[in-house]
Amino acid sequence: MIFNEMVSNLYGLSGEQIVQKMEMFYDDNSGAEKNSWRVSLPKLIEVVQRAGLGNLYLATEYELPAGGRIDATLIGDDENGNHHALVIELKQWSRGGVEYYPNNGFPAIKVNATNPYLSRHPVNQTKEYTDALNSNHSNVVNGQISISGCQYLHKFELSEKEFFVQDGYSDIDISNMFVMGEEGAFADYLKTLFSPTADNEVARSLFVDGEYVTTEMDMEIINRITESPDNIPLWHDQSMILDYIMPLLKQQSEGRLATNHMILIAGAAGTGKTIIGFRILAEYWRLHSNSNNNYRCKYTLPKSRTIKQVLDGLCNNQAGIRAEFLDYIKGQYDLLVIDEAHRITEFSNAISSAQIVILLQDDRQRVRGNEIGTKANFKNFAVMRGYKFTAFPLDYQKRSGLGSYVDRLDKLLYGDEYQKDVGLGIDVNVYDDIQELERWMNSCHNSTSSAKYYASYCWEWKSQKRPTEIDIKIPEINPVFQKQWNPMYNQYDWYLDSIDKVGCIYTAQGLGFEYVGFIWWDDLVWRTDHWEFNIGKVTQYDYQLRNSIANNASNQDLLLNIYRVMLTRAKKGLGIWFKDEETKQHFKEVCLLEG
């Protein structure tokens, strides 16, 4: 529930009285937030009342599930009875309290507070919020209520307003930004949106009570990328990264970019690295529109047969991203996006074949000893090649339902501690009987084709050469569970629909499914207070891993990474069967908080 009240009921209250009302709805707020309520909200309320719109509802601190909170939203009807919500970004900035910060080509606004910090442009912040509502709020998506946005900086001097359109911000539209001295213009703007006589109760209910549903996005988004970049909505942390990168793309399109940039975007599975990579490509295309389709940009990845086959299948020989293996890149480009960059095995000239290089990467998705695409290695390479190196983190878990499942998993595997637990975010079930897991998977498959089995590579791939052979038998004698490994070829068909064949680590990276059934074997087991690694059980059949770790001291970390990757493929539900009882109990204690 969010705080919402008719403006006329708030008019005349002191800032402290407003804070007291809001404290009944929101816990653990900082002093800065409370000061904003105390100072900025009364100023906003005065303008609304001045416009004769005390009948509007004011909603505050609307929290978007993937990050960001909307300072204030005015809700009501227009003269024709249409329902509308106006998102307002409030700032207490004055010109003396902020400065433009070039930030090595990634412009930001430096706020000289007690603890100085970098902020995004207020217009960009507002656009992120309105885009998120337009894409995900149920009653906005179904057309019952419309969304727009503006900014109100009640302390900022009118004579200094051009501050917000300098240098990297020169093309930002500040026509709906209102500062000190523009209260009359702000009131007039509000009167163009809302009626002073409407009841507004229906509008209030539509906004406050509507559901916020996350948009399903994964590899399939490549079919939409060429239509319009706006068809690729971004989450909070993704949107912030795009804010920084867009000025570089614009300078490059105008022939003004004199520096080379290597930008690493790091995040666990489900944080949307590929999505932001696609969006950057789409923005490049928009800035370099041409009829010959000969763009000087490439989407590449280290050799990954599965992802390549899936991407090619999704394109259907029509519009969309055409993935190329990094080894095949020749010549020079403006923009190079390298997905799964943690999997590179050598720092070749292809990596530095563009003026702007985007690396989509996760240190903990390295699964072979010869994979050297770490953040530290990329930074060293960038310095040697004369690139400005910048790293951005992606933290929000899209694939794991925005919950704490990945945090709990990292605590289980690596001992990482984390601050706040907001629940799993996905449905996780541990099955004592592997036949129960199979029944659950069959029921999932009855409702969706997006369901897959995964397991560590502890069984010989007999069916690769003898198609009728069964690879995985549990138990080995008189098995009650029997499956083959995923196919060598036709992996796009396997991706689309198959629970008859089990995927391994090499068909896991970069992909996600609604439901995953996972077989936790005895190559990784928990004993009292530590992990025991029986890596020989894997390398017996996985020659790629065996050869790559022959002289690698961190091979145990690689096995943890292998499990982490496969355990983060599910978007909605994960079912697990354990061979080892002690490992099962430890998982339940850490990840399910049982015990």
Side-chain angles (χ1 to χ4, degrees):
M1 187 65 177
I2 64 172
F3 175 80
N4 63 99
E5 181 65 83
M6 190 175 289
V7 171
S8 60
N9 294 337
L10 298 172
Y11 181 66
L13 296 182
S14 68
E16 195 57 47
Q17 288 173 314
I18 291 175
V19 169
Q20 291 171 3
K21 277 181 169 287
M22 292 183 61
E23 282 180 328
M24 298 172 64
F25 284 79
Y26 307 114
D27 299 323
D28 302 324
N29 292 286
S30 67
E33 287 175 315
K34 291 180 181 179
N35 189 53
S36 176
W37 302 344
R38 185 179 294 110
V39 178
S40 296
L41 286 177
K43 291 289 186 182
L44 173 62
I45 291 166
E46 287 178 13
V47 173
V48 177
Q49 195 71 24
R50 174 176 178 170
L53 295 170
N55 59 326
L56 296 182
Y57 280 91
L58 173 65
T60 61
E61 301 296 335
Y62 185 100
E63 186 166 5
L64 301 170
R69 292 205 299 189
I70 300 172
D71 292 334
T73 307
L74 291 174
I75 309 162
D77 295 349
D78 65 16
E79 294 288 351
N80 298 314
N82 300 309
H83 309 307
H84 189 72
L86 175 67
V87 170
I88 305 173
E89 177 67 19
L90 299 172
K91 297 291 187 189
Q92 296 191 65
W93 298 346
S94 65
R95 178 63 185 89
V98 296
E99 58 185 278
Y100 179 81
Y101 187 66
N103 203 23
N104 292 320
F106 305 94
I109 294 173
K110 184 178 181 182
V111 182
N112 297 314
T114 304
N115 297 307
Y117 62 93
L118 297 183
S119 175
R120 302 166 66 196
H121 195 291
V123 171
N124 288 342
Q125 284 186 272
T126 310
K127 186 177 186 303
E128 176 201 329
Y129 301 150
T130 56
D131 285 350
L133 292 171
N134 281 318
S135 298
N136 301 287
H137 190 291
S138 59
N139 291 326
V140 179
V141 173
N142 66 25
Q144 293 192 69
I145 186 169
S146 61
I147 299 291
S148 60
C150 72
Q151 306 78 39
Y152 182 36
L153 290 74
H154 61 88
K155 290 184 177 180
F156 205 91
E157 300 85 345
L158 178 58
S159 61
E160 300 286 350
K161 193 174 178 181
E162 291 301 304
F163 168 84
F164 292 104
V165 289
Q166 63 179 302
D167 298 335
Y169 294 139
S170 59
D171 63 339
I172 287 181
D173 181 4
I174 61 170
S175 59
N176 288 337
M177 174 186 284
F178 302 96
V179 299
M180 182 171 58
E182 293 187 309
E183 286 75 16
F186 189 11
D188 290 340
Y189 170 69
L190 295 177
K191 286 188 281 189
T192 68
L193 298 176
F194 300 106
S195 164
T197 59
D199 174 77
N200 298 331
E201 179 58 37
V202 173
R204 184 206 66 81
S205 178
L206 286 171
F207 183 81
V208 172
D209 299 331
E211 294 183 356
Y212 193 96
V213 182
T214 58
T215 303
E216 186 70 29
M217 290 193 300
D218 213 318
M219 283 295 192
E220 290 82 356
I221 201 168
I222 64 172
N223 285 323
R224 299 159 57 190
I225 191 171
T226 52
E227 299 172 21
S228 168
D230 293 332
N231 284 336
I232 310 174
L234 301 181
W235 296 94
H236 181 58
D237 47 1
Q238 297 169 324
S239 183
M240 288 191 294
I241 292 172
L242 189 65
D243 272 6
Y244 292 122
I245 293 175
M246 278 303 299
L248 295 183
L249 295 177
K250 290 173 182 174
Q251 290 176 47
Q252 185 183 66
S253 69
E254 297 165 358
R256 297 188 295 109
L257 186 62
T259 50
N260 293 337
H261 292 266
M262 186 167 286
I263 301 163
L264 184 142
I265 300 174
T271 52
K273 297 185 295 296
T274 298
I275 300 303
I276 185 64
F278 287 171
R279 181 64 184 265
I280 291 167
L281 283 166
E283 294 291 351
Y284 175 91
W285 289 350
R286 178 156 65 181
L287 291 167
H288 297 80
S289 58
N290 68 70
S291 57
N292 298 321
N293 202 33
N294 56 343
Y295 297 99
R296 289 176 51 82
C297 64
K298 292 289 183 181
Y299 172 79
T300 72
L301 63 164
K303 287 188 177 180
S304 174
R305 183 173 60 251
T306 301
I307 295 179
K308 183 72 163 60
Q309 290 186 20
V310 168
L311 285 169
D312 287 348
L314 288 170
C315 285
N316 292 321
N317 296 319
Q318 297 174 3
I321 292 292
R322 278 294 173 191
E324 294 190 28
F325 288 136
L326 186 60
D327 291 353
Y328 301 162
I329 293 295
K330 306 295 182 185
Q332 291 295 308
Y333 297 91
D334 292 336
L335 173 67
L336 186 71
V337 175
I338 306 176
D339 208 348
E340 302 286 310
H342 42 268
R343 301 188 67 179
I344 70 160
T345 56
E346 64 172 330
F347 282 94
S348 65
N349 290 332
I351 297 173
S352 56
S353 62
Q355 186 178 26
I356 300 175
V357 179
I358 308 293
L359 305 165
L360 310 177
Q361 182 267 359
D362 180 9
D363 278 4
R364 284 179 171 172
Q365 289 194 57
R366 294 172 55 249
V367 298
R368 292 191 304 197
N370 62 339
E371 293 174 351
I372 58 175
T374 64
K375 177 181 176 180
N377 286 341
F378 277 121
K379 184 175 182 179
N380 291 335
F381 178 77
V383 171
M384 288 190 299
R385 293 298 179 97
Y387 278 78
K388 291 188 175 182
F389 180 84
T390 310
F392 294 104
L394 284 172
D395 299 317
Y396 290 104
Q397 296 295 330
K398 264 67 75 176
R399 178 172 291 138
S400 58
L402 308 176
S404 294
Y405 167 66
V406 174
D407 289 331
R408 296 186 192 182
L409 186 62
D410 284 350
K411 181 176 182 180
L412 174 83
L413 295 175
Y414 309 103
D416 291 357
E417 295 297 334
Y418 58 97
Q419 297 272 324
K420 183 179 180 182
D421 197 303
V422 294
L424 281 169
I426 62 172
D427 185 28
V428 180
N429 292 292
V430 172
Y431 293 96
D432 297 325
D433 187 333
I434 197 167
Q435 290 178 295
E436 291 181 11
L437 173 65
E438 188 168 27
R439 284 191 286 269
W440 176 74
M441 281 291 286
N442 287 336
S443 68
C444 293
H445 189 243
N446 287 336
S447 64
T448 177
S449 61
S450 183
K452 290 287 176 289
Y453 282 104
Y454 277 104
S456 190
Y457 203 170
C458 293
W459 293 266
E460 185 179 357
W461 193 2
K462 299 176 182 177
S463 62
Q464 180 182 7
K465 296 180 179 179
R466 301 186 296 276
T468 60
E469 285 276 5
I470 300 299
D471 301 310
I472 300 171
K473 298 179 181 180
I474 302 174
E476 184 66 30
I477 306 300
N478 300 320
V480 297
F481 181 89
Q482 301 184 76
K483 300 285 181 185
Q484 291 183 327
W485 282 119
N486 55 261
M488 167 71 83
Y489 304 104
N490 299 321
Q491 291 191 5
Y492 178 58
D493 292 337
W494 171 81
Y495 167 81
L496 288 180
D497 188 1
S498 174
I499 61 166
D500 295 328
K501 294 177 170 58
V502 178
C504 68
I505 182 59
Y506 302 116
T507 54
Q509 288 174 296
L511 302 180
F513 304 92
E514 291 186 11
Y515 298 98
V516 168
F518 185 68
I519 300 167
W520 193 309
W521 206 238
D522 60 356
D523 52 329
L524 179 66
V525 295
W526 181 260
R527 292 294 178 262
T528 308
D529 59 0
H530 65 281
W531 289 109
E532 290 191 359
F533 304 86
N534 301 314
I535 203 161
K537 291 179 178 286
V538 185
T539 56
Q540 178 181 359
Y541 303 115
D542 186 348
Y543 73 91
Q544 297 182 80
L545 180 61
R546 180 173 66 249
N547 293 341
S548 72
I549 66 171
N551 299 306
N552 191 305
S554 63
N555 55 35
Q556 295 182 343
D557 289 338
L558 296 177
L559 188 54
L560 292 174
N561 291 351
I562 287 171
Y563 268 78
R564 182 178 187 264
V565 169
M566 292 189 291
L567 286 164
T568 52
R569 298 303 97 191
K571 305 175 191 175
K572 293 183 179 179
L574 172 68
I576 312 179
W577 176 81
F578 290 82
K579 182 179 182 182
D580 181 74
E581 182 65 26
E582 186 175 351
T583 308
K584 177 175 71 176
Q585 292 305 318
H586 183 58
F587 177 90
K588 292 168 72 173
E589 289 172 7
V590 177
C591 291
L592 303 185
L593 306 183
E594 296 180 6

